Amino acid sequence: MDSVRAAPKPLRKAVLPVAGFGTRVLPATKAIPKEMLTVFDRPALQYVVDEALAAGIEHLVFVTGRNKGAIEDYFDRAPELEASLQAKGKTAQLKELEISVRPAGAMSFVRQQGALGLGHAVWCARDIVGDEPFAVMLPDMLMMAQPSCLAQMAAVYEKVGGNVIAVEPTDTPEQYGVIAPESRDGRVIKMKGMVEKPKREEAPSNLFISGRYILQPEIFELLSSQKPGAGGEIQLTDSMARLMELQPFHALEYEGRTYDCGDKIGYLRANVAFALANSEYGEKAAEMLKKTLTEWER
Ligand code: UTP
């Protein structure tokens, strides 16, 4: 008789670490959180929240820090603005505001008092996440995918359980965390390890870890004793490597494309790509870009 494997615990919560300084995009980030910078017509963070909701996430946990108040304001109601738009009959603009508002109690904000690293930021969410699996979503990585990247991962998680991370092929593995595959079934890869920024000739694959993770709560215990690693920061990947000795890890080569908004050219690329993909403005954006390039080349 086939043994019946218990269904994995449902995925309900996502942690979004937003406490970094965003030094690579200064001076824009001097007074505005990096995650609130505009990608075409909305803050970068809105795309990540939409991705989470499309995967059935019910509760979002933001790990914030100093000077990040704009994030809380953005996801709150704006009564004066709403009343003013209402009075002027600006219903289309009123509707635009709705995407940022979640039901009361469906978001938590926890403070990371110092930017000690991504691993430390995730650890700060431990009491709110509790004893259940959760997603980690790096908000400076924007995924253009249908279904959403996290939704594709959640579907895999329901089948394989354990820990699931998103990966994507890259020409420059030396710039990223890269996985070591053990075996592969379609787009799902059983992992045996991962390497941070390997030398190109030593990279165990060309698949980089692109900023979406589904993790089991045991990671918190490991994070609490994690020593600083690369850059003197408490690294999430170091604790993941330890968790891999105890639990299964799968990588999903998801269908879609990652836009790394961590630096200025990455932001520009994401702006162009999301403008071109916009159903209302895409054609106009393409025309404008072609015209600008022609004028530039003259
Ligand atoms: P990054 O290293 O890309 O962000 O971290 P950063 O530190 O803001 O960027 P630079 O290098 O100075 O330009 C990935 C994500 O993790 C968060 C960041 O806010 C970013 O969204 N993070 C990083 C934290 O929340 N806390 C940390 O201690 C480090």
Side-chain angles (χ1 to χ4, degrees):
M1 203 176 79
D2 285 345
S3 64
V4 181
R5 196 168 62 84
K9 271 193 185 176
L11 178 69
R12 302 186 312 120
K13 295 178 183 170
V15 175
L16 284 71
V18 291
F21 291 128
T23 53
R24 285 168 292 161
V25 276
L26 279 168
T29 45
K30 185 181 172 196
I32 297 171
K34 171 168 85 169
E35 302 76 14
M36 290 302 294
L37 296 182
T38 314
V39 172
F40 185 51
D41 67 344
R42 60 201 62 203
L45 201 46
Q46 181 71 54
Y47 294 96
V48 187
V49 168
D50 288 345
E51 179 189 337
L53 299 181
I57 293 294
E58 295 164 14
H59 193 103
L60 294 153
V61 186
F62 293 88
V63 182
T64 71
R66 288 173 57 74
N67 299 325
K68 299 282 180 170
I71 296 176
E72 289 187 47
D73 289 342
Y74 176 77
F75 288 109
D76 197 1
R77 286 228 164 263
E80 302 85 354
L81 177 59
E82 286 171 26
S84 161
L85 292 174
Q86 194 95 53
K88 291 176 184 151
K90 295 192 170 179
T91 44
Q93 287 87 339
L94 259 175
K95 208 158 165 269
E96 299 271 17
L97 292 184
E98 284 307 311
I99 58 165
S100 58
V101 180
R102 301 286 309 131
M107 282 187 168
S108 299
F109 295 84
V110 62
R111 197 97 161 185
Q112 185 190 26
Q113 286 107 331
L116 302 183
L118 177 60
H120 182 262
V122 171
W123 180 75
C124 290
R126 66 198 179 282
D127 284 349
I128 301 172
V129 171
D131 188 26
E132 57 179 285
F134 65 104
V136 174
M137 307 176 79
L138 302 194
D140 49 3
M141 295 295 211
L142 298 188
M143 273 60 173
M144 200 181 280
Q146 201 54 256
S148 87
C149 176
L150 191 64
Q152 293 179 41
M153 293 168 67
V156 170
Y157 168 72
E158 273 173 33
K159 286 192 194 127
V160 300
N163 303 270
V164 179
I165 63 174
V167 293
E168 189 175 331
T170 174
D171 296 333
T172 53
E174 66 278 7
Q175 289 179 6
Y176 297 101
V178 172
I179 63 153
E182 185 177 301
S183 57
R184 182 168 185 138
D185 179 6
R187 289 182 167 271
V188 180
I189 300 149
K190 192 163 190 293
M191 288 169 61
K192 64 175 177 201
M194 54 199 153
V195 193
E196 200 53 51
K197 300 191 175 71
K199 284 188 188 146
R200 186 179 285 229
E201 60 282 7
E202 288 169 13
S205 74
N206 67 340
L207 296 170
F208 82 98
I209 301 169
S210 57
R212 300 289 183 271
Y213 315 75
I214 294 173
L215 298 171
Q216 295 298 320
E218 287 75 17
I219 193 85
F220 291 124
E221 185 65 38
L222 299 172
L223 282 169
S224 66
S225 62
Q226 189 61 55
K227 302 265 179 309
E233 296 193 339
I234 296 173
Q235 298 287 356
L236 181 63
T237 42
D238 290 343
S239 287
M240 280 167 52
R242 290 162 66 204
L243 187 58
M244 202 178 295
E245 290 169 16
L246 311 169
Q247 295 181 356
F249 260 79
H250 288 87
L252 170 67
E253 189 181 335
Y254 81 100
E255 283 186 74
R257 185 169 292 162
T258 304
Y259 292 91
D260 181 351
C261 299
D263 60 28
K264 293 180 183 184
I265 295 297
Y267 251 104
L268 175 63
R269 182 164 174 255
N271 265 288
V272 171
F274 280 86
L276 290 172
N278 187 285
S279 56
E280 193 180 345
Y281 291 96
E283 268 181 43
K284 277 190 193 151
E287 268 171 41
M288 182 279 290
L289 286 166
K290 279 185 204 151
K291 193 161 173 270
T292 308
L293 276 176
T294 316
E295 286 167 0
W296 181 253
E297 281 159 4
R298 255 190 231 137

